[in-house]
């Protein structure tokens, strides 16, 4: 999952994203560190919406973004 990269590009912190989505900051950090796999569909859509991106951007691997 490319969450950390996208957040850095957008200048969004875990705290900001938690406030925008209602998802706990600890859970967002778990997604970022891969302690949790990918978020559920509803959470993934909330994250994508908050970041202003297409949800598919979260799951593209590095090869498909080159």
């Amino acid at each position: 999952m490319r969450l950390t990269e996208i957040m850095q590009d957008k200048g969004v912190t875990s705290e900001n994203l938690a406030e925008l989505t209602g998802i706990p900051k600890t859970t967002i950090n778990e997604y970022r560190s891969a302690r949790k796999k990918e978020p559920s569909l509803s959470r993934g859509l909330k994250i994508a919406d908050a970041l202003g991106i297409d949800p598919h951007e979260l799951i593209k691997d590095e090869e498909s973004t080159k």
Side-chain angles (χ1 to χ4, degrees):
M1 191 163 142
R2 299 182 52 234
L3 182 57
T4 297
E5 177 187 341
I6 294 167
M7 288 174 64
Q8 288 173 346
D9 289 346
K10 301 260 183 194
V12 175
T13 65
S14 294
E15 188 172 309
N16 298 144
L17 192 56
E19 290 172 8
L20 292 168
T21 61
I23 299 169
K25 180 179 146 184
T26 54
T27 301
I28 290 170
N29 286 335
E30 288 173 347
Y31 293 143
R32 293 180 71 185
S33 68
R35 284 190 302 252
K36 279 191 183 245
K37 296 269 184 184
E38 295 176 358
S40 65
L41 178 60
S42 63
R43 283 190 168 179
L45 292 173
K46 284 182 183 180
I47 291 169
D49 185 51
L51 294 172
I53 61 168
D54 182 298
H56 293 100
E57 292 298 312
L58 288 172
I59 55 174
K60 282 186 177 178
D61 62 26
E62 289 184 18
E63 287 303 311
S64 64
T65 59
K66 290 182 181 175

